[in-house]
Amino acid sequence: MKRSFFSGPYALWMIMFTIFPIVFVALYAFQDNTGAFTIDNIARCFEGTYMKVLWRSVKLALECTALCVLLGYPCAYFLASKDFSKYKTLFVLILLPMWMNFLLRTYASMSLLERNGIINAIVTGLGFERWNMIGTEGAVLYGMVYNYLPFMVLPIHTSLKKMDQRVIEAAQDLGANPARVFLKVTLPLSMSGVISGITMVFMPSVTTFAISKLLGSGNFMLMGDVIENQYMVANDWSFGSSLSLFMTVLILISIGLLNRLDANKSERSDNW
Amino acid sequence: MKKFFKGLKGSYLALILLFLYSPIAIMIAFSFNAGKSRAKWEGFSFKWYAELFKNEAIMDALRVTLTVAVIATVVSVILGTLGAIGIHACRKGWATALINLSYLPMTMPDIVTGVSLMMMFVFIKLDRGMFTMILAHITFDTPYVLFSVLPKLKQMDPNTYEAALDLGCRPMKAITKVIIPEISPGIVTGGLLALTMSLDDFVISYFTTDKAQNLSTLIYSAAKRGVKPDMYALSTIMFVTVLALLIVINKRSTLENIS
């Protein structure tokens, strides 16, 4: 028996549970209720209502990604620096929430912000009026950043750690000041980590529905909510499939564009 | 000056830790609260833990979560390891095709994976419950095993396998005696990754089950009705479990680095 035959069961499984389901989405996206071919459902994705939802989702996801880069880069940089790289536990602690159940993280952030939560206890204790945070856009953004920040720190940290320290020393020896070393050497060399981080944060946050439901209490419909609604409430699989297809294409295009920015993308997958 | 900068870096990291851990710390603290309040301390008690273990729905969800995670991990470890061994021995074109196919579930948004599997299960009239959840979890777990094992195969000296064959070993025995021991660190890492992925998942479980609830879907429906402290006890237990698991993984990887 040839060893290559061992890939058979795996290939079969992937065809059955990845390719077939995608074929279903593609078929339904171009069907009406009776099963006849139509592009109406695809056209519906571009209607004003859904474009507004898409814009809101993209805007929130971009804000979340930007905040994660701004908060996560210094965090990864300090963790990888000589001062802190010896503290392994510190690194594990920052990544630990990543391995905790996603819904538990959302629940934790929800309990912090809720009406009878600790923040409101402090606010009212100081004599101010109760602050209704749940159901605001800020709460949704907070929930996203809270959930996805470790996913930004890990790949940046990996790319910083892999960097050849001699290159930085060379820049220093040649007379570059610390700011210049960072901007001209460290930052460009860690871009592959930043790009993996952006993918890991932007993708789930642009399609989320649990965070917007729980922290936005349904006031902020995002693309994920609209898709979930088609399957769980409206029972319109055709439109749900069209929206899913639309989002997948959008994400694949953005990943493609991001990869083009990344000069050494062969290293990108190694950051994980 | 140097000390000053180190202090500055340290305080920034402390702030990040505060940001990440204050919600968790508050949940853990108030899981031991005697009262129902989530903001006022009313004395220490294990009341919420006692109630948690009496709650049939939560205990069922816990059983479903663990069963799904364990079965999905075992199956994906077998499928992924065999797959990696096969891909490693394949012609280049076929190997590239399979690797690209494996990237697909990792790059597709979870919600799309979820709804696509749901549509297929409904179409082939498979009742959505624990079984379909297991199928779905195997599907998203296996690529992680594959990508943990493949690099270990690449690092291996191909001559050792050939040597085993030359010395009269049957191919099957050569695989179990030569290849598997050599790549076992990758298999264990992949298995642990699969286990945590399965325990972490909400979105795909949500769409691929109807009857059986796992902890994620249970917490989701409970959270829609508002925050209640009985969930705090559950969160505390799960947090401590993940912490223990991660410490074990970390110990392993430092051991690997030494050897």
Side-chain angles (χ1 to χ4, degrees), chain A residues 222-237:
Chain A
L222 299 184
M223 272 322 249
D225 295 293
V226 180
I227 295 177
E228 190 250 358
N229 213 33
Q230 299 311 315
Y231 286 94
M232 296 312 203
V233 185
N235 230 341
D236 189 348
W237 285 17

Side-chain angles (χ1 to χ4, degrees), chain A residues 1 3-7 9-11 13-22 24-26 28 70-79 81-84 86-90 92-105 107-112 114 116-118 121 142 145-146 149-151 153 203 207-210 213-214 223-225 227-228 231-232 237 240-241 244-245 247-248 251-252 255 268-269, chain B residues 2 5-6 8-10 12-13 16-17 19-24 26-27 30 38-39 75 79-80 82-83 85-90 94 98 101-112 115-123 128 135 138-139 142-143 146 161-162 171-172 175 179 193 196-197 199-203 206-207 216 219-220 222-224 226-229 231-232 234-235 238-239 242-243 246 250 254 257:
Chain A
M1 197 168 114
R3 255 191 307 163
S4 52
F5 288 161
F6 281 110
S7 63
Y10 176 71
W13 187 282
M14 293 310 278
I15 289 167
M16 261 165 63
F17 293 100
T18 304
I19 302 282
F20 277 0
I22 294 173
F24 268 95
V25 174
Y28 268 94
L70 287 177
L71 290 172
Y73 197 99
C75 180
Y77 185 72
F78 296 158
L79 276 174
S81 71
K82 278 193 206 93
D83 291 337
F84 291 97
K86 52 183 178 284
Y87 303 119
K88 272 254 162 70
T89 333
L90 193 64
V92 173
L93 271 178
I94 292 206
L95 295 183
L96 176 60
M98 198 164 103
W99 303 112
M100 215 171 89
N101 185 286
F102 160 74
L103 227 79
L104 223 57
R105 292 198 298 265
Y107 199 82
S109 51
M110 196 179 156
S111 67
L112 190 72
E114 64 152 339
N116 300 313
I118 198 109
Y142 167 77
V145 174
Y146 182 71
L149 181 61
F151 291 88
V153 177
M203 227 175 43
T207 53
T208 186
F209 69 94
K213 244 244 172 103
L214 296 181
M223 272 322 249
D225 295 293
I227 295 177
E228 190 250 358
Y231 286 94
M232 296 312 203
W237 285 17
S241 300
S244 304
L245 202 65
M247 284 312 278
T248 310
I251 281 170
L252 289 181
I255 290 179
R268 195 178 63 97
S269 51
Chain B
K2 227 182 155 187
F5 276 119
K6 190 180 173 183
L8 219 59
K9 286 177 188 173
Y12 181 79
L13 290 174
I16 293 283
L17 280 177
F19 171 73
L20 289 173
Y21 281 96
S22 51
I24 299 170
I26 288 165
M27 282 207 310
F30 281 95
R38 279 93 73 196
V75 177
L79 264 181
L82 288 179
I85 293 174
I87 288 174
H88 189 62
C90 270
W94 180 236
L98 268 177
L101 180 61
S102 315
Y103 275 122
L104 201 61
M106 293 169 102
T107 42
M108 243 177 12
D110 276 358
I111 190 168
V112 178
V115 300
S116 67
L117 281 166
M118 169 190 170
M119 290 199 308
M120 187 178 81
F121 291 144
V122 173
F123 186 82
R128 276 177 306 139
L135 294 178
I138 294 170
T139 308
T142 313
L146 187 93
Y161 176 75
E162 305 291 336
M172 204 55 207
I175 283 173
I179 296 185
L193 217 52
T196 36
M197 283 292 159
L199 292 174
D200 186 63
D201 175 68
F202 160 67
V203 177
Y206 177 74
F207 286 105
S216 301
I219 300 173
Y220 180 67
K224 274 205 287 195
V227 177
K228 291 246 167 50
M231 282 293 156
Y232 285 8
L234 179 68
S235 307
M238 284 172 74
F239 176 74
V242 175
L243 184 66
L246 213 72
N250 201 42
T254 43
N257 290 342

Side-chain angles (χ1 to χ4, degrees), chain A residues 125-197:
Chain A
L126 290 172
F128 295 105
E129 221 168 290
R130 208 173 275 281
W131 188 12
N132 283 322
M133 286 169 285
I134 299 285
T136 61
E137 201 171 306
V140 179
L141 188 60
Y142 167 77
M144 285 179 175
V145 174
Y146 182 71
N147 253 306
Y148 300 125
L149 181 61
F151 291 88
M152 183 65 81
V153 177
L154 178 60
I156 297 178
H157 181 263
T158 314
S159 68
L160 285 168
K161 275 292 211 192
K162 270 199 325 215
M163 207 176 285
D164 190 344
Q165 289 303 313
R166 287 170 302 184
V167 181
I168 291 165
E169 280 157 23
Q172 284 164 346
D173 289 348
L174 291 169
N177 61 15
R180 211 172 153 82
V181 172
F182 177 76
L183 285 175
K184 292 279 173 187
V185 181
T186 314
L187 191 62
L189 281 176
S190 62
M191 262 335 261
S192 66
V194 176
I195 285 170
S196 320

Side-chain angles (χ1 to χ4, degrees), chain B residues 32-57:
Chain B
F32 295 107
N33 195 6
K36 242 189 137 155
S37 168
R38 279 93 73 196
K40 213 170 85 218
W41 187 251
E42 292 166 51
F44 184 89
S45 102
F46 282 113
K47 179 178 140 195
W48 297 113
Y49 289 87
E51 256 177 52
L52 179 72
F53 288 110
K54 270 188 282 176
N55 189 326
E56 275 302 314

Side-chain angles (χ1 to χ4, degrees), chain B residues 165-205:
Chain B
L165 294 184
D166 287 347
L167 291 169
C169 216
R170 288 180 179 282
M172 204 55 207
K173 201 171 176 193
I175 283 173
T176 53
K177 292 279 175 192
V178 177
I179 296 185
I180 302 276
E182 195 80 358
I183 59 173
S184 62
I187 299 176
V188 176
T189 312
L192 287 170
L193 217 52
L195 189 71
T196 36
M197 283 292 159
S198 178
L199 292 174
D200 186 63
D201 175 68
F202 160 67
V203 177
I204 295 172
S205 305

